[in-house]
Amino acid sequence: MPLGLGRRKKASPLVENEEAEPIRAGLNVPGMDGLDGGGVGLGEGTTQEGLPPPPTSLRPRLIFHTQLAHGSPTGRIEGFSNVRELYTKIGEAFGIAPPEVMFCTLNTHKVDMDKLLGGQIGLEDFIFAHIKGQRKEVEVFKGEDALGLTITDNGAGYAFIKRIREGSVVHQIQVINVGDMIESINGHSLIGCRHYEVAKMLKELPKGKDFVLKMVEPLKAFDMISQRSGGARAGSGTQLGTGKGTLRLRSKGPATLEELPSAFEEKAIEKVDDLLESYMGIRDSELAATMVELGKDKKNPDEFAEALDETLGDFAFPDEFVFDVWGAIGDAKVGRL
């Protein structure tokens, strides 16, 4: 079925050679007591269409426990609505500058990418903050089109390595590890760049030539020194947190409450995330969830394509990808996935 008649044409999309996966500014926190499975609708700064956000005094007060991943006393943090504010609160708790925080993991101090904070956080989850450690500079020979990296970002201006494919160019370089933040490529600063921008730069580096990466590794505890990989692929089924409610943190607007994803939505999100990686070299469960939300009530793929252009036009999704996503959402509805 033809798609996107009249769709706005944008720049060529990324291809799948270098992967990218962001940590979104929006987080989900299951386990909200007393919600009876109910929720408050989400929006950019509003809780229901046409209604203003609730006053601060009526918003839920949530307190989380946190430590620095390399070792520290336990701190208590509250009152954050997005990732940048979370890092600020962590900085205040431990007397460090917020830009020192690279990323956070849940319920483990290790650089475990399956436990990366960014999709959802339960009320009983423990937050471990990984801060900047040793800086390093590595010269890499690009002997293949793909370097074998999956890039993610922390939602606050840092892009780092989420996965290294076994047998790839980078896998042969032992000083490059999962969790390393990429500061620059050939002297070009990447501070403030998104995951897909870094992935595009890596892909466009000429094959058969050397390039220089400047990186910062997370400060490690003694039992993490030999750690190399980040474990299983994202979306492997690890469910963090318990409970009926979800607190979502947005880059704009206050934190709001909503229900956990349905079984249909979970299946559709996982499949769409797979399609993102296959077509565009991106793994991003939050982006996949947004696409499922946009598509679940649409009557045909052209309506879906229009909604994607309006909301996520900067990604310039190819028509064949949009059609496959539409099919995946439909299959999830009827239980085919």
Side-chain angles (χ1 to χ4, degrees), residues 37 122 128 225 239 269 322:
F128 288 90
I225 297 301
Q239 182 81 12
I269 289 168
V322 175

Side-chain angles (χ1 to χ4, degrees), residues 11-24:
S12 299
L14 296 179
V15 296
E16 61 270 24
N17 288 324
E18 300 306 334
E19 303 171 10
E21 179 173 324
I23 300 178
R24 289 287 174 175

Side-chain angles (χ1 to χ4, degrees), residues 32-40 243-246 257-260:
M32 186 66 59
D33 295 334
L35 293 180
D36 298 325
V40 180
K244 301 177 181 179
T246 297
L257 304 177
E258 66 173 21
E259 297 177 354
L260 290 173

